[in-house]
Amino acid sequence: MSTPRIKFYQTGTYTAGNRLLDEAARTVQSRMDRMNSLNSGHRACQGCGEALGARYAVDAAMRASHNRLIAINATGCLEVFSSPYPESSWQIPWMHSLFGNAPAVASGVAAALRAKGRGDVKVLAQGGDGATVDIGLGCLSGMFERNDDVLYLCYDNEAYMNTGIQRSGATPPFARTNTTQVVGEAPGNLLGTGKNLPRIAMAHGIPYVATASVADLHDLETKVTKAMDMQGARYIHLHVPCPLGWGSDPAHTIRVARMAVESGLFPLFEAQFGTVVDRTLIRHKVPVERYLELQDRFKHLFGPPPNTEAIAALQAIADANIVTYGLIV
Amino acid sequence: MRAQIEGSQAVAEVVVLCRPDVIAAYPITPQTHIVERLSRMVKQGDVGRCQFLNVESEFAALSALIGASATGARTYTATTSQGLLFMAEAVYNAAGLGLPIVMTIANRAVGAPINIWNDHSDSMALRDAGWIQLYAETNQEAADLHIQAFRLAEELSCPVMVCMDGYILTHAYEPVDLPDRSLVDAFLPPFSPVQVLDPSDPISIGAMVGPEAFTEVKYLAHQQQLRALALVPEVAGVFEQQFQRPSRGLCSPYRMEDADVAVIALGSVIGTIKDTVDELRREGIAAGCVKIGCYRPFPTLQLRAELEGLTCVIVVEKDLAVGMGGIVSADVQIALQGLHIPVHTVIAGLGGRSISKASLKQMIHEARAERLSEPHFLDLNMTAINDELARRRDQRRAGPVAEHLVRAINAIGTKVV
C-alpha cells in the first residue's frame, strides 16, 4: 500500500489539520459514517486512553473489513467498562471469555470461519497489557506461531488498572503502582525487568507488528488499516495513558501519550516478518522529564531530592530507542 | 462395520462421523492416540473442511473451541488429568457461556505424585463445572456415547464430557461396531446454535453479570442440565432404535431384580464387578450392580428407584476427596436419603491399581458382615504405610513420602492379584 506523503500539521502547533487533506485521506474518526464500534455510554473513566484507542482502532478495523468483523476481548478494563450486562457498548459481534485466553479464542473463531468458508469475516482480538504480556502470553505466542488469521490489539496502559493499579510486565522502570510502591531503597518499579512485547512478537516472524499511540490518530488508523489488509497473525501495540493509574490530568491524555512518543520512550515503528520496515519520526524531541512530570506515578523522581540517576536511566532508554529505530533524522 | 480396533481409534472414527468443524488439541498421555488419528484424518481430507488446531496448551485447546463454538462450529477436543486441570478455568467458562463442546476425558490420576494411569480424579475434580458427564464401560459404549454427546450438547447448549478409562479403554483393542455415516447423519442433525458471533446480527457474549442476576443465570444453568435427566434416556432410546444396539442412558442395573446387596460404580470396572456378581450369585449371595452412566446431572431419582429395598450398598469409586472420603458415595447417600440403607465407600483403583474379582468379593463379604472401614481403601498395603508412619515419627526431615513408599512397596506394586 503506498501512502501519500502530506504535510498536514499547522505550523507551530501539534494539531493535525485533518480538514486540509483530501477527503479520502482523512481519518476514519472524522467521517460521518464511522461505526462508533464502541458506542458512547460505557463506563470508562474520564480521559481513558484505552476507551479512545479502542474506538479509534476498532472503527478503523471495521472500515477496513467492510464491517465484517468479530472481536474477542480479554478480561480487563475495556471488557468491564464496555459490557456490564445488559448494557453492551459494542456495535459489533463481540465476545469475552477469560483473562488469559483471548488470542486462543480468536484462533478458534478464525478456524471456525475457515471451516465454514467465511473468508469475508475478519477476526480481531484485544486486551490490555496484563492480558497480553503476562497472563495471555502463552496463548498469544501460540497464535503467532501458528500464524492464525487474527489481528491482536494490545492496549498498553502499563499496569493492571482494572484490579486497581498493580505492576505488570509492561510497567516502566521506577513507575509507582500499588505493588511497586514508593518505599524502600528502590522506590517504584525496578529498572531492567519487564517485557518488550513488540520485539517478542517480531521474533515469531509474523507478517506484521506495529506500535501506535493514541496521540497519533492518522498513524494509528493507517497501521490498523494496513494490518487488516494482511493475512496471518498481526500484532499492534497501542500506547494508551491511564489518568487514574498514572496520576495524570484526564484532560491531558493525548498530551501525555504524545510526550511518550516525542521523548523516544515509546517508539512508533512497523515490522514485517521480523524486520523493522518503517518508523514514525519524532518531530519535536523532548527530554523525558516533559513526559514524566505529567504523571504522579513518577513524582518521586523529582524529589526532594530529585533522583537524577533514575531520570538519566530513563533518558538513556529513550535515546537508545531513537538510535535503534532511527526516530530522528 | 465391526472392527477389531483400539478404543482411541474407535473414538476418533466416530468423532469424524459426527462431522466436527474445529478440533483443537494438546497432547497428553493417554489421550494422544485419539488426537493423532484425528489430526491425520483431518489432514488427509476425510473430515470435509474441518480445521485441526495444534495448540500450545490444554487451556488454549478449550479456549479455541470456545471461540469456534461461539462462531457456530461443531467442536471437539480430548484431554485428561493435568491437562483437564490446566484448562479448568476454560472448562467453567465454556459451560457458563452455554457452548455445546464435546470433550473426551481419557481418565487418569492427578499428581503429585505424577502418575499416568487410570482413575477418575481428573473428571471428578471438574464435576461441578456445568458439563454433562457421561462414563463409558466399554469401547463400544465410548464410541456410541460420543455420537449421543454431540446431540445432547447441541440440543441443550451445554458442553459434554465423555469419560473413558485411560489405558483400560483408550488402549484396549476390542471389537467395536463403527456405524455407517448415513446412520450418524440421520441421528445427528447439523449444529444449529442458539447464539452466534455474526457480523450480520451483532451480539455481545460473555458480558459481566453482577449480584442482581448471577444467581438467576446459575439457576437456569442448573435447570438446563437437569433437563438432561430426561434427554439422556430419550436420546439413548432413539440411538437404540436407529443403531440397533442397546444404549442405557443414566444408570443401568445388572441382576438387580432380587438383589439385597449392590455395588455402584462408573466406567470400565463395571465389567469386573459384573463377573464378581455372577460368581457371588453362584455362591448364593443375592448381589447386583448399578452402573452410573451419567454422573452429571446426577440421576438421583433413578438411582433411588434402583436401590430401594436393598440391605447394603457399596460405592466403588476411583477417586478420593482428601479429608472427606468418597465423592460418588456422597451423592448416592443423598439419593438414598430417608431409606436407611447403609452406604459403604470403597476407594479403589487409584493411579491405575488393578481391581480384582478376589478383592471385590472379599469387600462385599466384609460389607455384608458390617466389617468394612469407612471409607475402605481396597487392597491397601498397611505394612508399608505403618513403616512409613513410623519413619516419619522418628525424623522431622523425613523427605518426600512418595519416593520412600515406592521403594518400600516396589515388589508388591507391580503384582496383579
Side-chain angles (χ1 to χ4, degrees):
Chain A
M1 188 172 96
S2 70
T3 316
R5 297 200 75 82
I6 303 158
K7 194 164 181 167
F8 56 81
Y9 291 95
Q10 292 170 354
T11 309
T13 75
Y14 290 101
T15 310
N18 197 56
R19 66 184 185 281
L20 303 178
L21 297 175
D22 283 347
E23 211 161 313
R26 292 183 193 171
T27 58
V28 175
Q29 283 304 306
S30 68
R31 304 180 70 95
M32 293 297 286
D33 64 349
R34 75 169 189 217
M35 267 302 294
N36 273 330
S37 310
L38 175 63
N39 214 351
S40 59
H42 59 69
R43 300 173 187 189
C45 306
Q46 261 192 348
C48 173
E50 187 176 36
L52 200 57
R55 200 186 74 210
Y56 288 176
V58 181
D59 276 355
M62 279 293 274
R63 183 169 173 78
S65 66
H66 310 289
N67 298 347
R68 311 293 288 163
L69 190 68
I70 292 172
I72 301 303
N73 215 123
T75 308
C77 276
L78 179 61
E79 169 261 324
V80 169
F81 74 63
S82 68
S83 76
Y85 180 80
E87 301 169 332
S88 179
S89 280
W90 295 99
Q91 307 299 302
I92 58 174
W94 177 92
M95 182 164 77
H96 158 248
S97 173
L98 296 168
F99 199 2
N101 73 353
V105 175
S107 290
V109 173
L113 293 170
R114 268 200 310 281
K116 296 195 160 293
R118 297 287 303 275
D120 58 319
V121 182
K122 305 289 263 177
V123 187
L124 190 76
Q126 47 188 354
D129 51 289
T132 306
V133 318
D134 289 343
I135 197 169
L137 184 60
C139 285
L140 186 62
S141 176
M143 188 273 274
F144 287 163
E145 166 274 313
R146 292 186 301 272
N147 199 26
D148 290 332
D149 196 15
V150 173
L151 168 59
Y152 190 98
L153 292 168
C154 170
Y155 303 104
D156 181 7
N157 56 20
E158 302 186 336
Y160 290 91
M161 300 314 185
N162 189 42
T163 44
I165 319 162
Q166 296 86 17
R167 177 205 186 269
S168 81
T171 301
F174 311 116
R176 176 200 70 193
T177 70
N178 286 325
T179 51
T180 54
Q181 299 195 15
V182 182
V183 291
E185 285 179 9
N189 194 28
L190 292 177
L191 177 67
T193 60
K195 297 176 207 176
N196 183 333
L197 207 73
R199 304 299 299 197
I200 294 171
M202 283 168 62
H204 289 77
I206 57 174
Y208 188 72
V209 173
T211 59
S213 169
V214 76
D216 195 335
L217 179 57
H218 276 278
D219 187 73
L220 187 163
E221 287 189 351
T222 303
K223 285 167 176 170
V224 171
T225 305
K226 192 187 271 191
M228 287 301 291
D229 287 340
M230 294 177 170
Q231 299 282 320
R234 292 143 287 148
Y235 178 76
I236 296 179
H237 194 99
L238 279 171
H239 198 231
V240 290
C242 169
L244 182 74
W246 295 10
S248 57
D249 186 336
H252 289 171
T253 293
I254 300 300
R255 186 166 162 225
V256 171
R258 190 190 307 121
M259 290 299 113
V261 172
E262 300 286 87
S263 64
L265 278 173
F266 193 83
L268 299 181
F269 65 91
E270 292 174 280
Q272 292 187 6
F273 301 104
T275 306
V276 174
V277 294
D278 206 354
R279 76 289 190 228
T280 305
L281 295 176
I282 290 175
R283 290 185 298 125
H284 302 276
K285 191 197 170 199
V286 297
V288 293
E289 287 95 325
R290 295 292 86 75
Y291 171 62
L292 304 174
E293 69 195 9
L294 297 172
Q295 309 168 54
D296 286 350
R297 64 175 172 159
F298 294 114
K299 199 172 170 184
H300 59 285
L301 299 184
F302 295 96
N307 188 342
T308 47
E309 257 178 61
I311 294 171
L314 288 167
Q315 188 62 57
I317 292 170
D319 292 344
N321 283 338
I322 290 168
V323 173
T324 303
Y325 297 99
L327 301 177
I328 294 176
V329 287
Chain B
M1 183 194 69
R2 255 172 105 75
Q4 181 74 12
I5 190 170
E6 193 200 34
S8 296
Q9 315 277 344
V11 166
E13 291 287 339
V14 294
V15 166
V16 164
L17 293 176
C18 294
R19 301 182 187 274
D21 297 305
V22 178
I23 299 168
Y26 185 80
I28 179 166
T29 303
Q31 150 265 35
T32 44
H33 291 183
I34 300 173
V35 297
E36 284 172 359
R37 175 87 162 229
L38 281 170
S39 76
R40 181 184 172 87
M41 294 175 86
V42 169
K43 193 164 189 178
Q44 65 193 13
D46 298 345
V47 205
R49 299 178 65 108
C50 178
Q51 304 289 311
F52 186 98
L53 289 179
N54 278 299
V55 291
E56 69 284 354
S57 73
E58 287 88 359
F59 177 66
L62 190 53
S63 296
L65 297 190
I66 286 169
S69 185
T71 314
R74 181 170 286 164
T75 51
Y76 171 81
T77 187
T79 191
T80 174
S81 183
Q82 317 297 137
L84 180 63
L85 266 61
F86 194 65
M87 66 163 68
E89 191 189 11
V91 172
Y92 273 80
N93 193 249
L97 292 171
L99 298 171
I101 297 162
V102 171
M103 172 159 66
T104 308
I105 308 298
N107 284 111
R108 165 184 150 181
V110 174
I114 186 168
N115 175 300
I116 59 168
W117 293 278
N118 166 247
D119 67 31
H120 293 162
S121 313
D122 50 3
S123 50
M124 284 295 158
L126 272 299
R127 69 190 183 277
D128 299 328
W131 289 55
I132 291 170
Q133 283 195 344
L134 309 174
Y135 285 77
E137 177 188 344
T138 63
N139 282 341
Q140 182 67 63
E141 199 173 71
D144 295 349
L145 285 177
H146 279 85
I147 303 170
Q148 297 177 41
F150 281 105
R151 181 158 160 176
L152 283 169
E154 290 169 12
E155 200 155 328
L156 293 170
S157 279
C158 176
V160 178
M161 285 181 204
V162 182
C163 305
M164 61 191 292
D165 288 325
Y167 290 113
I168 299 169
L169 293 182
T170 57
H171 286 53
Y173 281 76
E174 303 187 316
V176 175
D177 193 344
L178 298 170
D180 289 336
R181 178 168 284 271
S182 57
L183 270 180
V184 179
D185 284 344
F187 177 80
L188 183 63
F191 176 32
S192 169
V194 298
Q195 53 180 352
V196 67
L197 293 167
D198 180 0
S200 317
D201 180 21
I203 53 166
S204 295
I205 302 177
M208 184 173 221
V209 174
E212 73 283 3
F214 194 81
T215 309
E216 284 69 20
V217 170
K218 289 291 163 187
Y219 176 83
L220 287 172
H222 178 60
Q223 291 303 320
Q224 186 72 352
Q225 210 190 78
L226 290 181
R227 277 184 57 202
L229 290 173
L231 197 61
V232 166
E234 186 187 316
V235 166
V238 176
F239 185 92
E240 278 193 350
Q241 219 168 37
Q242 296 187 3
F243 290 76
Q244 295 295 308
R245 63 172 164 271
S247 188
R248 283 311 187 114
L250 299 173
C251 47
S252 0
Y254 179 76
R255 302 190 80 163
M256 286 294 292
E257 309 79 45
D258 58 342
D260 56 37
V261 53
V263 180
I264 319 267
L266 292 74
S268 65
V269 72
I270 286 291
T272 316
I273 293 172
K274 283 178 183 168
D275 288 350
T276 310
V277 164
D278 290 345
E279 288 185 14
L280 287 168
R281 286 272 173 174
R282 282 196 288 275
E283 292 170 20
I285 296 170
C289 86
V290 179
K291 170 175 77 179
I292 297 176
C294 173
Y295 182 62
R296 282 292 182 271
F298 192 72
T300 310
L301 294 177
Q302 293 76 6
L303 202 60
R304 187 181 173 94
E306 294 292 353
L307 301 178
E308 212 159 356
L310 294 191
T311 54
C312 176
V313 167
I314 307 161
V315 180
V316 173
E317 44 187 311
K318 293 182 171 185
D319 54 64
L320 172 65
V322 177
M324 170 59 191
I327 296 172
V328 179
S329 43
D331 293 344
V332 173
Q333 294 269 20
I334 289 172
L336 299 184
Q337 232 165 16
L339 293 183
H340 306 292
I341 304 171
V343 176
H344 302 282
T345 304
V346 175
I347 309 296
L350 294 188
R353 177 165 299 184
S354 297
I355 300 175
S356 68
K357 280 190 292 185
S359 299
L360 288 173
K361 264 166 97 171
Q362 193 189 342
M363 167 198 87
I364 292 169
H365 285 310
E366 286 178 11
R368 291 176 76 236
E370 290 183 12
R371 280 191 282 113
L372 219 50
S373 54
E374 284 303 325
H376 178 73
F377 287 76
L378 200 69
D379 296 337
L380 199 59
N381 184 335
M382 280 315 292
T383 315
I385 285 172
N386 287 331
D387 287 354
E388 177 63 14
L389 288 175
R391 202 180 63 80
R392 296 183 79 78
R393 261 195 308 274
D394 293 345
Q395 53 185 129
R396 171 72 195 160
R397 186 178 282 201
V401 61
E403 286 71 2
H404 286 281
L405 267 174
V406 168
R407 198 174 303 140
I409 298 186
N410 205 21
I412 305 159
T414 51
K415 198 172 111 192
V416 177
V417 184

